[in-house]
Amino acid sequence: MKLHTKFLIILFPLVVVPLLLNSYITRMHFNAMLQNQVAQQNHVLAEQMSWNIRSAQNRGQDLLNELVSYPAMVEALQSAGDNPAQLQNQLDLFASQLPALEYAAIQSDAGTLLAETRTEMKLPAELFQASGQGRLFQHQQHLYLAQQAMQPEANLSSATYSVRIVTGQPQLEEYINHTRRSSNVLLLLQSHHTILSQDTSLQHLLSQTRVSDNDSLIWNSNRYLVNRTQLSPSLQMIALAPTVEMDSASENLYNMLSYVAICAGFISLLILHRSIASLVSNPLQRFQSLAHNISNGNFSPIRIFERKDEVGELSTSLETMRQHLQDTSRHIEELAYFDPLTGLPNKVSFIDTIQELIKRSQVAGHQVAILFFDLDNFKHVNDGLGHEIGDELLMQVSHRLKECIRSHDVLAPGNHPALQELDSLVARLGGDEFTLVLSKINSPEEAAKVASRILQQFAKPFCLLDSDVFVSASIGISMYPKDGRTPEDLLKNADTAMYAAKSSGKNNARFYDSKMNKPVLERIELEASMRSGLDNDEFILYYQPKVPLFGATRFEFETLMRWNHKDRGMISPGVFIPLAEDSGYIQQLGDWAIEQTCRQIEYWNQKGYRHVSVSTNLSPVQLNYGNPVQTIRNALESFDIEPAQLEIEITESGLMQNEAHAVELLNEIKALGVRIALDDFGTGYSSLAYLIKFPIDTLKIDRTFIKDIESQAESLKVLESIIALAKSLDLQVVAEGVETREQLELLQKRECDLIQGFYFARPSEPDIAMQFFEGHFLKKHQRAESGVSERKAAS
Ligand code: C2E
Ligand code: CA
Ligand code: CA
């Protein structure tokens, strides 16, 4: 049942019942008032009646007096004993002269009737027994008054006698009839116990039933109100006032009041109905529809009730709540579909969008490209520089990616439905993984162009903590429909291609190829087993001699790490170092390598080898995001070696990532007395500026250079100028990857200081590496000795 109806059901009796009650009480009062009025009127009638009766009695008394004082009568009385006939005659004469006198009798005190007028009335003696007041009685529908004079006049000296008279009471009758005619009030008299009335049925009714004052009584189908008034001890007046008019007046009044009550009830209900509607029901209905809208996700605002009551307050609170819910829901939608950090769409939105683009491409016959983008070494930015800097980098990255794809310009932040309209999109899947989808593509080359544009964007440094930081990225690309038909397959394959790009040296892009799946799985397995590899000492250091071409006997080596995997045997660092860099294990491995190198140097020192020095490789990750200075300092303190016996090899790419930081760090290492070598020189930027800016002692020329020096005159020329430059900067020069005697001789002629390569020795266990040197120097010594004796013999 509606609230409105309930209100009306409750309020209706509250309004109507009091009104009806009021009319009922009013009617009661009205009735009482009317009764009162009737009683008063009867009182007046009683007064009148009483007066009439008294005057009748007086008249009777006068008549008695007249009778007994009438001279002829007095005479006749005096001679009554002698002449009774005269008394009779005299009485008859008297009676004939007075028509009001119905009956008269004179009696001696002995009780002898002396004279009497004739009458048909039988008059019982008790009628006259009452004193002078007399007694009213009824005979044949008429009223009479019977009176007696007990004491005769004094002048009736000798005898005593009594005189009785009965007078008719037509005035009294007339008065009663007149009253009946004029006001319908029935007046009756009750003398002693006799009801005097012309209506025998009424007389009968009243004498049968005991009706008290103010009772009502039904006679002749009419109701009468009864009033009794005591006129004298033996006489009562009964007034019967018909209630017909009174009843109908009160009935009318009651009907009118009830009508007014019902009308008032209906009018107040109408007003209540309107008021409840405007005050309660309508606002509630509006609030209900608001709640309904909100539960259906529709947050359109409601019109506020500008009222200074609870509804107004509730309305304001609801509006605040609605706004809050709208904001929250928008926020939830943003969280559900957008990445909170960069504001880019998230994986859910991205998959939806690919789905949509695939559908459209099916119709248009286009291809769709998914680019899976991952920063190289992001983990180390996060771990090394802190999450805030990591987040800052991700925001800059997202900005650059958006620049590569213009369609984001039309996308309002947080507008999920609009994503479906785009032709291309950048999303963030999580961490440093971003994805791009390109539709309307006619060939993979178009996707490749976008990928190379992105890589170019990342060749520029990022500004983090007020310094330039280089962060490269790897991209994997999958094409619809060639590489998959569902968004999930396409994403998975682009991810696989991205891993392949990372494995092949990072900072590049690769298309997906079904053969890639295996290496990716291997890579995941390998990364998983690295922890146990570390715990089980599966990592070892090999040593490769760096053979000095000039000067005194020196034992110089480079350490090269190997992983003697329990299942897969010896694994090359080219495979596991990038993995260790990605997973973060590189910090632990790198620290271990430094410590192990120092331990080996100390061992050789104790064995009595003089001039031992060993270089060890420092990953760019360690350099940029680790704490190598502390590790080196600790190792130097732990092992009793000269700091200059240790050399740290770093690559150009490692220096480039955050130059300011690298300069600071290398200066600290240098300050410890440890030497620094620039590795793989000639492969990267080969920036001469670095040679001056960084505290470098050794330049290691990359083996790709050495490879060509025999065949390409150009390479040789470059080599010559690098060596000359190094010499001029007072740097020691090491040639890597020397495999042939020709290469050795060319380098020897250009006064390269040290030679590292398979020509002399492969990386091996430390003892074997040292054995090589022992053999090498022994042979050299012998050759020198034989050279001296030959020269001596010749001279
Ligand atoms: P790298 O520092 O340039 O090391 C020299 C690489 O050239 C070594 O490969 C070595 O075996 C190889 N090599 C030496 N002479 C010749 C030669 O005559 N011909 C040819 N073809 N190769 C020669 P390896 O041991 O496979 O190491 C590969 C790379 O792994 C290293 O390049 C270095 O960047 C990295 N690496 C090795 N050990 C460590 C380590 O302990 N820490 C770090 N961070 N990186 C390491
Ligand atoms: Ca090296
Ligand atoms: Ca090298």
Side-chain angles (χ1 to χ4, degrees):
M1 194 189 287
K2 295 270 181 187
L3 198 59
H4 203 231
T5 321
K6 282 185 187 169
F7 263 122
L8 292 181
I9 287 176
I10 294 169
L11 289 173
F12 185 79
L14 283 182
V15 172
V16 172
V17 168
L19 285 171
L20 289 176
L21 209 65
N22 188 35
S23 26
Y24 178 75
I25 291 170
T26 310
R27 184 194 186 178
M28 288 294 149
H29 267 279
F30 183 70
N31 280 351
M33 204 178 74
L34 285 179
Q35 273 188 19
N36 211 15
Q37 215 175 345
V38 168
Q40 273 179 9
Q41 181 194 325
N42 289 346
H43 185 70
V44 173
L45 289 175
E47 290 277 307
Q48 204 85 50
M49 181 69 98
S50 179
W51 183 85
N52 277 334
I53 289 171
R54 259 196 325 274
S55 59
Q57 285 170 337
N58 290 343
R59 270 197 311 279
Q61 196 63 48
D62 291 348
L63 201 64
L64 267 178
N65 292 342
E66 201 183 326
L67 181 71
V68 291
S69 57
Y70 192 58
M73 189 62 76
V74 173
E75 222 177 290
L77 272 172
Q78 280 170 350
S79 58
D82 308 322
N83 191 1
Q86 194 192 349
L87 184 64
Q88 182 66 48
N89 286 341
Q90 205 48 248
L91 188 64
D92 287 340
L93 187 70
F94 187 83
S96 65
Q97 285 169 359
L98 294 166
L101 189 68
E102 279 296 322
Y103 169 76
I106 299 166
Q107 203 173 1
S108 73
D109 64 342
T112 315
L113 185 67
L114 300 176
E116 179 186 37
T117 57
R118 273 170 300 274
T119 178
E120 295 102 65
M121 286 182 230
K122 281 191 182 138
L123 298 171
E126 69 262 22
L127 269 182
F128 300 99
Q129 272 169 11
S131 64
Q133 296 302 313
R135 184 166 160 183
L136 277 171
F137 68 97
Q138 188 176 328
H139 178 71
Q140 292 181 343
Q141 311 294 330
H142 294 291
L143 280 178
Y144 299 92
L145 180 66
Q147 284 172 299
Q148 179 178 21
M150 294 296 291
Q151 294 292 327
E153 290 302 305
N155 50 4
L156 302 178
S157 56
S158 54
T160 55
Y161 50 89
S162 67
V163 180
R164 301 172 178 192
I165 57 166
V166 171
T167 44
Q169 296 299 324
Q171 297 98 323
L172 207 54
E173 282 175 35
E174 176 51 30
Y175 174 72
I176 288 171
N177 289 335
H178 174 77
T179 306
R180 188 173 187 165
R181 276 196 307 276
S182 62
S183 62
N184 288 330
V185 176
L186 304 180
L187 290 182
L188 292 98
L189 291 166
Q190 183 175 0
S191 173
H192 293 95
H193 292 293
T194 315
I195 305 288
L196 311 179
S197 171
Q198 292 177 345
D199 296 290
T200 44
S201 63
L202 181 61
Q203 196 178 25
H204 185 71
L205 179 70
L206 280 169
S207 48
Q208 289 296 305
T209 46
R210 278 182 60 86
V211 189
S212 332
D213 192 28
N214 285 330
D215 277 356
S216 64
L217 135 133
I218 306 287
W219 180 63
N220 278 352
S221 319
N222 289 323
R223 201 169 71 86
Y224 294 87
L225 190 68
V226 180
N227 269 124
R228 285 175 181 273
T229 318
Q230 203 71 38
L231 300 179
S232 70
S234 60
L235 189 65
Q236 235 184 23
M237 189 192 85
I238 302 172
L240 299 181
T243 58
V244 177
E245 284 176 15
M246 204 167 79
D247 284 350
S248 84
S250 114
E251 188 73 31
N252 285 348
L253 178 79
Y254 181 68
N255 286 348
M256 201 176 69
L257 286 176
S258 305
Y259 179 72
V260 169
I262 289 171
C263 283
F266 274 107
I267 290 170
S268 20
L269 279 183
L270 200 73
I271 295 168
L272 273 173
H273 171 85
R274 285 296 177 91
S275 315
I276 293 168
S278 79
L279 291 173
V280 182
S281 306
N282 291 352
L284 280 181
Q285 264 169 18
R286 200 155 336 142
F287 296 152
Q288 192 189 12
S289 79
L290 173 77
H292 182 75
N293 284 355
I294 288 177
S295 63
N296 286 340
N298 173 2
F299 292 100
S300 46
I302 55 157
R303 195 164 54 78
I304 292 189
F305 290 90
E306 304 278 2
R307 281 162 43 172
K308 287 194 166 49
D309 60 6
E310 287 84 344
V311 168
E313 284 165 16
L314 181 64
S315 166
T316 315
S317 317
L318 281 177
E319 173 57 14
T320 316
M321 187 189 84
R322 183 201 62 77
Q323 280 173 3
H324 182 72
L325 283 175
Q326 188 174 28
D327 292 349
T328 313
S329 132
R330 200 175 290 150
H331 186 62
I332 289 171
E333 184 163 305
E334 275 175 29
L335 287 180
Y337 296 111
F338 291 86
D339 167 43
L341 176 68
T342 58
L344 286 177
N346 64 11
K347 186 169 182 175
V348 177
S349 317
F350 187 69
I351 288 190
D352 287 354
T353 308
I354 305 180
Q355 195 87 57
E356 180 63 29
L357 291 178
I358 286 177
K359 258 191 244 160
R360 280 196 251 153
S361 300
Q362 278 168 345
V363 179
H366 287 134
Q367 299 183 40
V368 177
I370 309 292
L371 277 67
F372 203 110
F373 171 101
D374 188 286
L375 286 178
D376 296 332
N377 301 331
F378 173 71
K379 187 181 165 16
H380 308 295
V381 176
N382 238 357
D383 294 351
L385 305 180
H387 285 259
E388 274 178 30
I389 302 299
D391 286 352
E392 170 62 30
L393 174 64
L394 290 175
M395 285 197 277
Q396 292 188 28
V397 167
S398 82
H399 191 69
R400 280 194 199 178
L401 287 174
K402 276 195 272 187
E403 278 182 354
C404 297
I405 286 188
R406 284 277 151 213
S407 63
H408 272 262
D409 294 352
V410 297
L411 185 65
N415 187 353
H416 177 241
L419 295 177
Q420 311 290 322
E421 310 296 321
L422 301 178
D423 290 334
S424 53
L425 183 76
V426 182
R428 180 176 172 221
L429 296 199
D432 59 334
E433 289 177 349
F434 293 83
T435 42
L436 295 90
V437 59
L438 311 169
S439 67
K440 296 188 179 167
I441 292 244
N442 293 314
S443 69
E445 283 71 36
E446 289 179 34
K449 268 187 205 156
V450 175
S452 88
R453 196 159 73 219
I454 293 170
L455 292 178
Q456 274 167 27
Q457 280 283 337
F458 284 78
K460 291 184 265 172
F462 290 91
C463 182
L464 296 175
L465 289 172
D466 285 339
S467 55
D468 285 347
V469 176
F470 284 86
V471 181
S472 62
S474 303
I475 301 173
I477 309 169
S478 66
M479 300 292 298
Y480 169 85
K482 183 174 78 70
D483 301 328
R485 295 197 153 264
T486 66
E488 289 77 13
D489 283 351
L490 288 165
L491 258 182
K492 195 185 83 195
N493 291 339
D495 187 17
T496 304
M498 185 276 291
Y499 266 109
K502 272 209 194 296
S503 302
S504 63
K506 302 182 175 172
N507 194 22
N508 64 14
R510 287 282 288 269
F511 274 96
Y512 173 73
D513 173 351
S514 54
K515 288 181 212 124
M516 279 173 180
N517 275 323
K518 199 171 168 244
V520 168
L521 287 176
E522 279 177 6
R523 188 188 152 98
I524 291 165
E525 269 174 28
L526 210 57
E527 200 174 303
S529 62
M530 200 165 267
R531 170 81 269 157
S532 61
L534 271 162
D535 291 344
N536 300 336
D537 296 331
E538 288 175 9
F539 293 91
I540 48 174
L541 283 184
Y542 270 15
Y543 291 75
Q544 185 176 31
K546 294 184 284 187
V547 182
L549 293 184
F550 311 99
T553 304
R554 297 181 275 155
F555 305 99
E556 295 205 18
F557 305 89
E558 177 185 0
T559 64
L560 293 159
M561 202 181 284
R562 299 290 179 264
W563 183 2
N564 194 5
H565 194 279
K566 65 176 185 332
D567 302 322
R568 297 174 52 176
M570 207 61 91
I571 302 175
S572 141
V575 173
F576 71 81
I577 291 289
L579 267 185
E581 285 177 341
D582 284 349
S583 60
Y585 287 125
I586 192 67
Q587 305 288 3
Q588 210 179 329
L589 273 180
D591 288 353
W592 170 81
I594 290 168
E595 200 186 281
Q596 188 62 26
T597 305
C598 293
R599 177 178 281 124
Q600 185 63 42
I601 296 171
E602 187 189 32
Y603 172 79
W604 275 327
N605 285 348
Q606 284 169 358
K607 280 265 175 177
Y609 294 104
R610 298 175 68 202
H611 306 299
V612 175
S613 67
V614 185
S615 63
T616 192
N617 294 287
L618 197 73
S619 153
V621 172
Q622 277 174 283
L623 181 70
N624 288 297
Y625 311 109
N627 191 0
V629 184
Q630 191 56 39
T631 311
I632 294 167
R633 191 184 285 123
N634 289 348
L636 290 178
E637 279 168 14
S638 306
F639 303 100
D640 186 20
I641 63 167
E642 283 295 315
Q645 287 185 282
L646 181 68
E647 190 171 55
I648 297 301
E649 293 192 11
I650 44 147
T651 59
E652 254 182 313
S653 64
L655 296 178
M656 265 177 62
Q657 288 180 22
N658 187 347
E659 272 187 33
H661 178 72
V663 169
E664 200 183 332
L665 215 104
L666 291 185
N667 279 331
E668 284 181 48
I669 295 175
K670 184 80 191 156
L672 294 174
V674 173
R675 295 164 59 81
I676 292 161
L678 187 61
D679 202 0
D680 301 347
F681 192 77
T683 51
Y685 290 83
S686 309
S687 168
L688 300 177
Y690 283 166
L691 299 180
I692 301 160
K693 207 182 281 179
F694 293 97
I696 291 165
D697 301 288
T698 306
L699 193 67
K700 294 189 78 175
I701 302 167
D702 193 72
R703 75 161 186 273
T704 50
F705 252 96
I706 309 300
K707 210 168 64 191
D708 299 334
I709 50 170
E710 297 160 87
S711 52
Q712 289 188 9
E714 288 284 305
S715 289
L716 191 59
K717 272 199 182 137
V718 175
L719 179 78
E720 279 171 353
S721 47
I722 290 174
I723 294 175
L725 177 81
K727 295 272 167 199
S728 71
L729 291 171
D730 208 14
L731 301 178
Q732 174 176 256
V733 182
V734 181
E736 289 187 306
V738 177
E739 293 183 354
T740 63
R741 178 149 194 96
E742 290 72 28
Q743 289 168 346
L744 173 69
E745 281 170 357
L746 279 169
L747 288 160
Q748 205 162 15
K749 268 191 206 145
R750 268 101 195 149
E751 298 188 341
C752 181
D753 299 305
L754 293 151
I755 300 295
Q756 181 180 353
F758 294 169
Y759 175 74
F760 282 121
R762 286 178 178 261
S764 61
E765 282 158 17
D767 292 345
I768 299 172
M770 190 49 104
Q771 274 170 24
F772 157 79
F773 258 132
E774 281 172 337
H776 171 75
F777 285 123
L778 187 66
K779 271 190 246 162
K780 198 177 170 187
H781 192 66
Q782 285 170 349
R783 269 205 306 276
E785 291 230 310
S786 67
V788 169
S789 53
E790 272 170 28
R791 271 202 299 281
K792 271 186 185 165
S795 62

